[in-house]
Amino acid sequence: SQKRYIPQVDDSVIGIVTNRMGESFEVDINGPSRATLAMTSFEGATRRNRPNVKIGALVYARVISSDRDLDPELSCVDAHGKSSGFG
């Protein structure tokens, strides 16, 4: 039997963008629920300058919050707002 991935804060993950919802993307990280990735969680992104990420795209991100009762949140920047290989 295969164990399901349980996201932990600061984990680096690869996910597939499955949906676009207003100001964020829904990302499948093979966890118990889909993760949320805000459009402003990319280096240089703003509400006016949004990243061009398509459904089905792969993203390399880090888990910034994980709670058993809430969907995990992802970010494609480090604590200093730099991509540092994420994206």
Side-chain angles (χ1 to χ4, degrees), residues 26-83:
E26 185 177 79
V27 181
D28 181 357
I29 58 170
N30 204 29
S33 63
R34 305 277 189 205
T36 302
L37 174 62
M39 289 188 189
T40 54
S41 291
F42 292 84
E43 185 174 5
T46 64
R47 293 185 82 154
R48 293 185 118 173
N49 182 26
R50 296 178 179 196
N52 184 17
V53 178
K54 307 256 190 259
I55 292 175
L58 290 178
V59 291
Y60 179 52
R62 69 184 179 97
V63 178
I64 56 171
S65 76
S66 182
D67 184 295
R68 59 189 291 174
D69 298 324
L70 301 171
D71 292 343
E73 287 184 63
L74 305 178
S75 178
C76 287
V77 293
D78 63 16
H80 306 290
K82 300 294 182 192
S83 65

Side-chain angles (χ1 to χ4, degrees), residues 2-6 14 27-33:
Q2 188 175 0
K3 288 191 173 189
R4 188 172 270 295
Y5 167 66
I6 305 298
I14 295 174
V27 181
D28 181 357
I29 58 170
N30 204 29
S33 63

